[in-house]
Amino acid sequence: AQSVSQHNHHVILSEAASLELGCNYSYGGTVNLFWYVQYPGQHLQLLLKYFSGDPLVKGIKGFEAEFIKSKFSFNLRKPSVQWSDTAEYFCAVGGYGGSQGNLIFGKGTKLSVKP
Amino acid sequence: GAVVSQHPSRVICKSGTSVKIECRSLDFQATTMFWYRQFPKQSLMLMATSNEGSKATYEQGVEKDKFLINHASLTLSTLTVTSAHPEDSSFYICSAARDSLYEQYFGPGTRLTVT
């Protein structure tokens, strides 16, 4: 079965620190890749997505992610985090050959940013 | 734009009763909506894909007779948990696809507790 792994369950950073959240997936074919964010008490929101083209994808709020096909990875990065980035981050994969639109989610990484 | 609502946000019901959860796209039409389930500290798992005017497509292992899905209009899909049992207690989240199946906007979720 296809799977998505997020390496860290909980990451704690101070403001202005750099962030990198790992995401690896298991499917070897063409995939669509996503990062979603869930702020406390809110619903999932799309941060960024990769379908094709430039493997370095820029999203909202200064986030970016790099697709490395050889490593089956799609890590999320931000050079300088803010307290308002405190949230849970989910990596998701689609287009692996399953049902159209089916997204497989990782378990999520909780990010806590200390002011 | 692209707001999805769910109602109710929380529901407690007794074992053996049925519960209906609504998912609405408020400012766009969604031919396709998705229903996910999330257990504590687990990732979202797709239960079914709901297509307006046709039968829902259920993922493997999801009982279609237990989780009834109706997508009667382009802005409303409902999930009915029939004869609910305590093991059905979970967080149910819907999403609505806008311009493509992978451009999904998520609702805030419904916490179901079966006593």
Side-chain angles (χ1 to χ4, degrees):
Chain A
Q2 312 306 329
S3 63
V4 176
S5 299
Q6 291 184 241
H7 312 305
N8 307 99
H9 177 61
H10 191 186
V11 172
I12 303 172
L13 296 173
S14 297
E15 275 194 316
S18 64
L19 169 72
E20 180 159 2
L21 301 182
C23 173
N24 287 90
Y25 60 93
S26 62
Y27 184 65
T30 302
V31 291
N32 302 313
L33 299 160
F34 308 81
W35 274 98
Y36 284 87
V37 60
Q38 187 170 29
Y39 296 102
Q42 296 189 27
H43 55 274
L44 280 169
Q45 299 173 43
L46 181 65
L47 260 185
L48 48 78
K49 61 188 177 187
Y50 171 80
F51 282 13
S52 64
D54 189 342
L56 185 61
V57 180
K58 294 195 183 298
I60 61 172
K61 304 187 181 186
F63 286 90
E64 65 178 31
E66 185 174 13
F67 169 53
I68 302 180
K69 188 174 182 179
S70 61
K71 294 184 178 181
F72 299 90
S73 70
F74 190 57
N75 292 354
L76 180 71
R77 299 194 293 246
K78 185 170 183 178
S80 177
V81 295
Q82 301 173 316
W83 177 79
S84 58
D85 293 324
T86 294
E88 189 151 18
Y89 294 81
F90 293 90
C91 179
V93 174
Y96 58 91
S99 307
Q100 280 292 309
N102 186 359
L103 295 176
I104 297 180
F105 283 84
K107 291 186 178 182
T109 297
K110 184 177 178 182
L111 172 65
S112 298
V113 180
K114 298 183 292 184
Chain B
V3 179
V4 176
S5 70
Q6 279 184 244
H7 178 81
S9 58
R10 291 177 179 270
V11 58
I12 301 172
C13 71
K14 292 188 176 180
S15 188
T17 62
S18 296
V19 175
K20 181 187 284 188
I21 303 169
E22 292 184 349
C23 177
R24 293 181 186 272
S25 56
L26 298 184
D27 51 2
F28 66 100
Q29 293 184 328
T31 304
T32 304
M33 292 184 175
F34 301 87
W35 286 96
Y36 294 83
R37 185 173 178 176
Q38 185 178 28
F39 290 102
K41 299 185 179 180
Q42 299 291 320
S43 60
L44 283 76
M45 299 287 291
L46 181 68
M47 297 174 65
T49 302
S50 167
N51 293 294
E52 188 266 337
S54 64
K55 290 184 179 179
T57 303
Y58 290 81
E59 294 300 302
Q60 193 173 11
V62 177
E63 297 175 62
K64 61 179 69 175
D65 294 331
K66 180 168 189 59
F67 298 99
L68 300 179
I69 291 172
N70 184 275
H71 194 156
S73 78
L74 289 172
T75 59
L76 173 64
S77 175
T78 60
L79 169 69
T80 301
V81 183
T82 63
S83 187
H85 288 97
E87 56 265 31
D88 298 324
S89 297
S90 191
F91 195 55
Y92 293 87
I93 303 171
C94 74
S95 71
R98 193 170 69 173
D99 298 325
S100 80
L101 290 176
Y102 291 109
E103 188 176 348
Q104 295 180 30
Y105 295 88
F106 286 79
T110 296
R111 173 77 59 194
L112 170 64
T113 303
V114 184
T115 60

